[in-house]
Amino acid sequence: MSLSHHHLNTNILPTLSATIPTPFPLVFSAPIVSFLSFISYSPLSLPSSPPIFSPFPSSLPTRKKMATAFSPSKFAAQPFPLNTTSQNNPLTIPTTASPFLGSTRKLIRLSSSSNLNIRRRSGTVVAVSDVVKENKSKSTLNLLITKEEGLELYEDMVLGRAFEDMCAQMYYRGKMFGFVHLYNGQEAISTGFIKLLKQQDSVVSTYRDHVHALSKGVSARAVMSELFGKTTGCCRGQGGSMHMFSREHNVLGGFAFIGEGIPVATGAAFTSKYKREVLKEADCDHVTLAFFGDGTCNNGQFFECLNMAALWKLPIVFVVENNLWAIGMSHLRATSDPQIYKKGPAFGMPGVHVDGMDVLKVREVAKEAIGRARRGEGPTLVECETYRFRGHSLADPDELRDPAEKAHYAARDPITALKKYLIENSLASEADLKAIDKKIDEVVEEAVEFADESPVPPRSQLLENVFADPKGFGIGPDGQYRCEDPKFTEGTAQV
Amino acid sequence: MGFRNIIGRRLGLGLVRRRKPFSTATCDGDGNGNAKSINLYSAINQALHIALETDNRAFVFGEDVSFGGVFRCTTGLADRFGKARVFNTPLCEQGIVGFGIGLAAMGNRAIAEIQFADYIYPAFDQIVNEAAKFRYRSGNQFNCGGLTIRAPYGAVGHGGHYHSQSPEAFFCHVPGIKVVIPRSPRQAKGLLLSCIRDPNPVVFFEPKWLYRLAVEEVPEHDYMLPLSEAEVIRQGSDITLVGWGAQLSVMEQACNEAEKDGISCELIDLKTLLPWDKETVEASVRKTGRVLISHEAPVTGGFGAEISASIVERCFLRLEAPVARVCGLDTPFPLVFEPFYMPTKNKILDAIKATVNY
């Protein structure tokens, strides 16, 4: 299953293969094709809607140059560093010299670089990393984040990583059960997006939701207790790994079913717009983020919601965590056009592709997308290319993925990259970062102890919350709550 | 399995349900041929191999089937029959089933896999509105009889809300499709081959708990078991127990315990839920005068209700006690509370005693 053979396996319906072109030859010419498709969505063709590709303009006075980074011409320059192509084009694999991609100001400078123009003309695929690398020497001291922000991002990512590693340990020791899906490797997306949100903004996630909940502010104790199935968990032990909810932090849930959360997020976004425009709560600019994976992008619910969100210009950002695998199904073999961000313009919203292993890049894109939503300009589809370092779930032996692919992404570990960035740009010292590591370790250990000591839910909780009536099935003829009647379930003498 | 024991210990439960394979399933009418001891997923795998071998217009598709599937039911098929016949679909259940209906309508045998029965709901519309009515509304010009939808259903100990549901009752309400649930490897292979070759669309639910745990001697050759025939797997005279799938092993344990108290239980495996074998159950109830139905799905509106109503219609004067149903509670399938939710051996035993002593 090496990456270079992917293009051979797309003939799933040989009788039709004559009529369906295999996608891979197309990828190489894709930049030209997609550039043209972007052009077709210019304001001229959609007179009633605001320009789709001048989305992140003037409202950021201090970062004007950044804003233009997202104009159409840059989209074309932005890449498709998908595995298949990157392997064929050795330049696009970042070397260890600079795994971390720094300021997007470097991107802007490149717009005039002749190298880039040549690449565009020849239609080869260019990785952002490669483009940035060329101008590294021209970097200035104008950095993307301050020290405080940097440390906050670092801490959040390390919390996500340490927590997930502890989950794995606890699972294998039998303290938690069920299906657990870990987020290792994808922390940059959660941190990059969610750390820009306010408390009232909502997050809707998938079954890989522990870290989304943590980034949003749910305490590690609450999440760990939920995983252990204890009453002190964020859902009182009733949901488990795949169902993290928090009213306080507006986490509208993990969803075990793929794509199921996207319509829910769309409804939540509508509420926020409604509050602002109809109920006239002028300062209500709450944004909803919907996280989901690449497999979900082939599901009907996703498309239905892209349509509704764009139609009603909802304040929502659709974040695709494209880790290239849906359990054992490679995204490239399951999708007719693997470039998910292109599905945004098809529905009338901008589609952006970003390197999901780079928290600063994700953060910049997120700022723009969230800013757009807050200003009432409508939804955005952001595709983050990322990777999960572990298997799909803790029960997955993870035999299908190519070790070379895993190694490629392991070298781009977002935490290591941020650490390097912070140190190289003198935003933090090794000691600061080590102190954070240690602090997080303690937080996670403490969360486990707390969860261990928490009580298991009482039997009566089983029947609560089926209906709105807090005691589930109401009061029986004897005047007592039905659920407290031991004979409630027929024939139950002992359980 | 281990997890369930852990839950049992933590929650102070004395007894945790243990699933044992059936010691002796009544034979499938076949004594010859080599039989090997295999588990449920291997039996299903064999059935699929045979189905694809014997019909070159048979296809197997679904999520992750080409590497073998998350339960290994489809291992080796892609290598042996090629990616043209065994292929992965994108993650769209509605699309999978609809696509299967189209394949079947053109005369192919489409064997669609839905990864967990909990995920079948997006496809529910296609099954109910299209698959079930295709022959009917086209006046028999077209039919999608070649469609078989396989889905693992039922509790597994740690599945939680979305990996443990038993949706058979929803499908039993749809005229035009068949619903079949095997209880063991030998049954599964024969029934699956019958379903695939049946000229009607079939929904085949496989008890996921038994995928590895149930081990039985299964003949290696091609054989089919009849649909719509229930099987009396244990003779008795005091009470009739009716069930299907993984629940039968729990019921059998309850029967063994009841035997010690002198209650002789007759156990019937329905095998096909739609259309179900009313005659066999009725004959048994006429013999015993008492009936108890057990299934994992919630009691209200579960298939036990249909069985109960039919039996009462047919055997009202013969019944000595009300029809008992020992089923899951009327709550969403819980995570930590699974042992309380499930119709356990003790609950069944209590109900048996209550019914016999009515």
Side-chain angles (χ1 to χ4, degrees), chain A residues 12 14 174-175 177-179 229 237-240 242-243 256-258 295 298-299 326-329 334 400 456-459 461-463 466 473 489 491 493-495, chain B residues 3 6 10-11 13 64 67 70 72 83-84 87-92 115 118-119 122 158-159 161-163 324-325 329-332 334-337 340 346-347 350:
Chain A
I12 53 174
K175 293 210 189 158
F177 51 93
F179 295 95
Q238 287 184 273
M242 297 185 272
H243 310 279
F257 212 123
I258 52 144
N298 292 327
N299 197 291
I327 306 188
M329 214 142 67
L400 294 173
V456 163
R459 200 178 302 173
Q461 197 178 302
L462 168 62
L463 299 170
V466 176
F473 296 83
T489 51
Q494 325 156 14
V495 271
Chain B
F3 296 127
I6 289 165
R10 182 191 298 139
L11 294 173
L13 301 179
D64 296 302
F67 78 78
V70 289
R72 303 275 183 261
K83 296 225 179 264
F87 53 90
N88 284 348
T89 55
L91 304 181
C92 44
Q115 195 160 75
D118 316 57
Y119 305 160
H158 50 272
H161 308 107
Y162 297 113
H163 295 80
R325 290 183 293 164
L329 301 180
D330 285 331
T331 70
L335 179 61
V336 271
F337 298 117
F340 300 133
N346 284 340
K347 289 188 193 178
D350 284 345

Side-chain angles (χ1 to χ4, degrees), chain A residues 315-338:
Chain A
I316 183 171
V317 182
F318 296 100
V319 183
V320 183
E321 296 171 326
N322 182 354
N323 59 20
L324 303 173
W325 290 89
I327 306 188
M329 214 142 67
S330 155
H331 173 63
L332 305 165
R333 283 198 289 264
T335 316
S336 56
D337 185 346

